[in-house]
Amino acid sequence: MARVAWTVASFFVVETLTFGLAVLPAFVAWEWVLTLLPATRPLLRPSVLAMSLVPAYAVFAVALAALSAWGSRLLGWRTPPPGEWSIRECPWPVLRWSRYMMSTHVVRVFVGTFFRSTLLWVWYFRWNGATVGRGVYINSLTISDHNMLTLGDGVVIGGGVHMSGHTVEHGMLRTGTVALGRGVTVGVGSVVGIDVTAGEGCHIGALSVVPKHARLDADAVYVGAPVARLPRD
């Protein structure tokens, strides 16, 4: 189908430009530094290049996260609003969503692998469409559909948490928002479905499963698969 071919081609072109621009600052800095180093000292150049790898990668990570997020926003690559679409028919909302997911995955691999749980990872979520409050801590790589997420102040998301704004069922893409109130904690390895809200101060225990369409009360503790509210005592 022409739409699928266009989707693949446009993603390839955009990611090529994004990746190239993200790498460019490091290459320019290396070229400038090498012109300043004397050629009479052969060990100096490789030593400087070796020592510059870590700061160069940090610059690359920031640039890739920012350029990928801003490019996706400019092109309208987003998870569509709550609804459902046939994947087989490949409508434009599904194709825009697929490019959004792929671009997010590129950043997840090259940036999130080393910078998750840092401020840069929170910034990327915000740049990539999520509504993120202050003091949020995110230590997971398996969170997608950022434009469908609302994370209040002080939200803590543990390692290995799976959270997204979509599900695929019987050949249909279904989307829904996820809203975590102020001070919500999601334990390690938990799964949070679509169309879920958690009130302020809610705690979701480790390895728990929050089913889609769930409504979790404020200042309550939920554990299990599926989750159940623990008695206050």
Side-chain angles (χ1 to χ4, degrees):
M1 294 177 62
R3 285 181 293 186
V4 175
W6 166 252
T7 296
V8 174
S10 60
F11 173 78
F12 180 80
V13 171
V14 170
E15 288 303 311
T16 299
L17 292 173
T18 300
F19 217 90
L21 291 174
V23 173
L24 184 61
F27 274 87
V28 171
W30 281 335
E31 288 287 336
W32 177 72
V33 170
L34 290 178
T35 60
L36 300 178
L37 298 177
T40 56
R41 308 181 72 175
L43 291 179
L44 184 59
R45 290 190 176 190
S47 298
V48 170
L49 288 177
M51 294 303 104
S52 66
L53 285 178
V54 171
Y57 188 85
V59 173
F60 161 75
V62 174
L64 180 63
L67 291 170
S68 178
W70 296 339
S72 295
R73 176 178 296 183
L74 179 65
L75 295 170
W77 296 356
R78 284 288 185 266
T79 300
E84 62 178 49
W85 298 264
S86 170
I87 294 180
R88 182 178 181 180
E89 295 175 1
C90 295
W92 283 115
V94 171
L95 297 179
R96 285 191 292 268
W97 164 78
S98 65
R99 284 178 289 188
Y100 185 47
M101 292 290 289
M102 289 188 291
S103 64
T104 301
H105 181 67
V106 170
V107 178
R108 179 185 296 127
V109 171
F110 288 98
V111 180
T113 301
F114 301 102
F115 288 92
R116 67 177 185 179
S117 77
T118 69
L119 191 58
L120 173 59
W121 200 229
V122 176
W123 288 346
Y124 172 62
F125 272 62
R126 186 177 288 123
W127 296 337
N128 207 34
T131 300
V132 182
R134 295 176 296 178
V136 172
Y137 176 84
I138 304 172
N139 187 29
S140 177
L141 298 179
T142 49
I143 300 177
S144 57
D145 307 292
H146 298 161
N147 66 301
M148 306 296 282
L149 306 181
T150 299
L151 308 178
D153 295 346
V155 165
V156 175
I157 300 177
V161 169
H162 179 86
M163 183 186 305
S164 72
H166 83 274
T167 183
V168 177
E169 302 172 347
H170 308 294
M172 301 294 293
L173 170 69
R174 293 184 171 89
T175 62
T177 58
V178 177
L180 305 182
R182 186 169 180 250
V184 170
T185 299
V186 184
V188 172
S190 294
V191 177
V192 180
I194 66 171
D195 187 33
V196 167
T197 61
E200 292 189 6
C202 176
H203 294 268
I204 301 170
L207 303 177
S208 297
V209 177
V210 182
K212 59 184 178 181
H213 313 308
R215 299 292 182 264
L216 307 185
D217 298 331
D219 298 316
V221 178
Y222 290 84
V223 296
V227 291
R229 181 173 177 173
L230 289 182
R232 185 169 294 275
D233 57 356

